[in-house]
Every structure is written in C-alpha cells, then in structure tokens.
Amino acid sequence: MKKNIFITVLILFGLSLFSGCASMMHTWPDQERSAENKMIVIQERIGDGLKTGALTPDQSQMFLTRLRIIRTDYAELRDKIVYQEEWDNLHARLDALGEDINRAHARTTRIEDPRNGDTIVTLQRRIDDGRISGRLPRSEEREFQARLDSIRREYLRTTEGGRPATYEESADISRRLDSLAMDIDRFR
C-alpha cells in the first residue's frame, strides 16, 4: 500500500514538473517583432555608414556577415516554441552589433532624416501604447499590427543577405509606413 502511494506521488510530482517546464516554453511574438526591428535598424545603419564613409567596405562587410549569422539564428527561433533565454541571447547579440556599429559611426555627425527602421520602431511603440491605453479598438489594433508586421517582413526580405534596399523599395516601404501612421493618427 505504501509503495503504491509513493509511486502515485512520484508520478504526480513528475507530471507537475513536466507541465511546469512545458509552460515555460512558448512562442514569443513580441520578441520576434523586437528582433526584426533591431535587424532593420542595424541594416540601415550599415548602409548609411557605407554611404557616408563612416564605415569602410571591410567594416560594413564584417557587420553584414555578423548580421547574416544572427538572421539565420533568428529564422531558426521564429514561430517556434523556445525558452526565453534563447531570445535574450539573440537580442544581446543584436545589441552588441548595434553598439559596435554606433561606435564606428561616432566619427560622423551628420543629421539625417528618419529612416524606415526608425519609423517602424516608432509605429510599433504607438500601436503598443494604443493597445495599453485602450485608445485603439481591438479590431483596429490587430489590423495595424498586421500591416506593420507585413511591412517589417517585406523590408527584411528585401534586405536579406545584406543587400541594401533599392530607392524604389525604400520609397514603397516609406509610403506604406506613412499611410499606416496616418491611419493610427485617427485614434489620437
């Protein structure tokens, strides 16, 4: 009798431990969006650095190689059930790459117009703020988020492999971002 009770308790303990571990793993859509935003901004900073001369061709190629490796790791994590630590590691690598690029850019002080990556980050914050404050109706929030996700993914696709976006591609992304910003402004 004691043996049966012990086995039952042991099985229940094992199941509760397993369910606890399983609940720690899930998809992280906010982490995906944040990583995509960082990759877009980094891609633009590399392109701008090459155009302005703040980065040498060798430096830009080195940064693009690091970004390409991070993008590969991101693709492996995306839409999968993983631990939070894996996303934290990816974000730490993106932050480190961004800091290295910023240090290389430090010798230029040119003021630039906002880039598409900066606009994407700003619009994501506005959507998140609208969701939290309740200013955006749920249906509108979902539509705006889907549109921004589509724009972000299209931008990442066009710049895959370190290729800078063409003027036409960049203008199209900018136009779509401006349209989304105007629609979001209706709910201020």
Side-chain angles (χ1 to χ4, degrees):
M1 182 70 177
K2 287 183 180 182
K3 187 176 184 179
N4 288 341
I5 293 173
F6 176 72
I7 290 174
T8 303
V9 169
L10 188 61
I11 289 172
L12 289 174
F13 176 73
L15 288 174
S16 66
L17 180 65
F18 177 74
S19 69
C21 290
S23 68
M24 291 172 46
M25 293 182 60
H26 55 84
T27 59
W28 303 88
D30 290 339
Q31 295 289 350
E32 289 178 23
R33 287 185 191 113
S34 180
E36 289 171 351
N37 287 343
K38 288 178 182 181
M39 288 187 287
I40 289 170
V41 170
I42 287 171
Q43 177 78 37
E44 287 185 342
R45 295 286 292 162
I46 293 170
D48 290 347
L50 194 56
K51 286 178 193 171
T52 63
L55 298 177
T56 65
D58 289 341
Q59 283 178 313
S60 65
Q61 191 58 44
M62 178 189 65
F63 291 141
L64 286 172
T65 301
R66 285 176 58 190
L67 181 59
R68 197 173 303 120
I69 292 167
I70 293 171
R71 274 186 171 183
T72 301
D73 294 344
Y74 162 79
E76 291 175 10
L77 292 178
R78 195 172 135 220
D79 297 328
K80 292 187 181 166
I81 297 175
V82 295
Y83 289 107
Q84 175 66 38
E85 292 83 31
E86 294 182 57
W87 282 110
D88 292 343
N89 181 28
L90 185 89
H91 281 279
R93 291 170 52 205
L94 284 167
D95 292 340
L97 177 57
E99 289 172 12
D100 290 346
I101 293 168
N102 287 340
R103 276 194 294 279
H105 267 268
R107 45 191 173 136
T108 61
T109 57
R110 184 170 72 100
I111 307 254
E112 304 168 352
D113 294 333
R115 295 179 302 270
N116 287 336
D118 296 330
T119 305
I120 289 172
V121 171
T122 301
L123 289 176
Q124 183 64 60
R125 284 188 190 131
R126 288 177 59 194
I127 291 170
D128 292 343
D129 290 344
R131 177 185 321 127
I132 291 167
S133 69
R135 254 180 295 140
L136 284 177
R138 186 75 176 139
S139 61
E140 296 294 326
E141 179 267 323
R142 273 190 243 134
E143 177 198 340
F144 294 155
Q145 187 63 63
R147 286 172 59 191
L148 184 60
D149 289 346
S150 172
I151 294 167
R152 182 185 302 112
R153 295 255 164 87
E154 177 68 19
Y155 187 82
L156 283 171
R157 187 190 60 74
T158 61
T159 60
E160 196 157 6
R163 178 180 82 76
T166 65
Y167 175 79
E168 292 81 17
E169 292 168 335
S170 184
D172 179 56
I173 296 288
S174 180
R175 180 190 52 74
R176 291 171 59 196
L177 289 170
D178 290 344
S179 173
L180 178 58
M182 286 188 292
D183 290 346
I184 293 172
D185 284 344
R186 291 183 299 153
F187 292 93
R188 277 195 161 185

